[in-house]
Amino acid sequence: MSTNKVIHALYNDDDILMDAVKKVRAEHHHIEEVFTPFPVHGLDKALGLAPTRLAITAFLYGITGTAVSTWLTWYTMIADWPQDIGGKPSFSWLENMPAFVPILFELTVFFAAHLMVITFFMRSRLWPFKEAENPDPRTTDDHFLMEIPVEGNEDELKALLESTGAVEINVVEKH
């Protein structure tokens, strides 16, 4: 198992963190991860992260739910066991479709929501009983942590991070 050094720079204000991220990126250093106690607006852009494609998957999951619910209502009420309920004809799905709208809507939302949660957990690698990867418990309360890999430039990075307003800088071995 290989180990490598990373620098953990702690900040106590999100605005200072944002300025620090921009300054570190302007100096062409790679920021491995940023840990925050709450979502920081614009941090993903400042880190240079690509936009998420989860909205596309949500749309596709919704389409899947609509298709399944369309097939389910056709199969159960038209093909498998047609019934004359309130004088409605049981030979045409289109003529009965207004009665199926709640089922279509609910299964569309059900598929989109549940499959999005599963996709999010898989994409984030949040498996059941997974150990927490938070390097400092203060980042769940009131501190912000920027993690930068050290590639032979430890002193330069420390000086840069001190100039950005870091309240604490630690060099640690990451496993």
Side-chain angles (χ1 to χ4, degrees):
M1 177 189 279
S2 66
T3 61
N4 54 349
K5 286 184 179 180
V6 293
I7 289 184
H8 289 166
L10 281 141
Y11 298 87
N12 56 8
D13 185 70
D14 57 333
D15 292 326
I16 296 172
L17 171 76
M18 283 293 288
D19 293 337
V21 166
K22 291 173 185 173
K23 190 170 183 181
V24 168
R25 290 220 356 126
E27 295 289 326
H28 305 292
H29 294 289
H30 174 68
I31 299 172
E32 189 70 32
E33 187 67 77
V34 176
F35 297 88
T36 65
F38 53 82
V40 177
H41 180 71
L43 185 59
D44 52 344
K45 243 182 209 177
L47 285 168
L49 299 177
T52 181
R53 295 183 304 261
L54 286 176
I56 296 167
T57 60
F59 177 74
L60 294 174
Y61 294 153
I63 294 294
T64 302
T66 303
V68 168
S69 62
T70 301
W71 174 84
L72 179 71
T73 54
W74 170 82
Y75 180 76
T76 57
M77 298 301 289
I78 306 300
D80 184 44
W81 196 337
Q83 300 176 41
D84 186 3
I85 300 173
K88 293 181 182 170
S90 60
F91 56 84
S92 168
W93 185 87
L94 279 177
E95 291 183 25
N96 286 302
M97 198 272 293
F100 299 149
V101 167
I103 297 164
L104 296 171
F105 174 77
E106 291 297 333
L107 283 180
T108 299
V109 172
F110 179 86
F111 270 70
H114 285 78
L115 292 174
M116 279 303 297
V117 167
I118 292 167
T119 301
F120 175 76
F121 283 145
M122 290 174 62
R123 189 76 182 104
S124 301
R125 296 185 175 98
L126 292 173
W127 315 115
F129 311 109
K130 182 177 189 269
E131 291 287 326
E133 295 179 5
N134 193 353
D136 193 317
R138 293 177 288 180
T139 60
T140 62
D141 186 23
D142 62 350
H143 279 73
F144 305 85
L145 185 138
M146 185 186 330
E147 185 177 273
I148 306 170
V150 176
E151 298 163 354
N153 55 356
E154 184 176 327
D155 295 330
E156 174 194 343
L157 274 173
K158 280 185 176 180
L160 174 63
L161 293 170
E162 284 174 7
S163 72
T164 63
V167 294
E168 186 178 321
I169 299 171
N170 301 315
V171 179
V172 297
E173 292 285 331
K174 186 175 181 180
H175 301 279

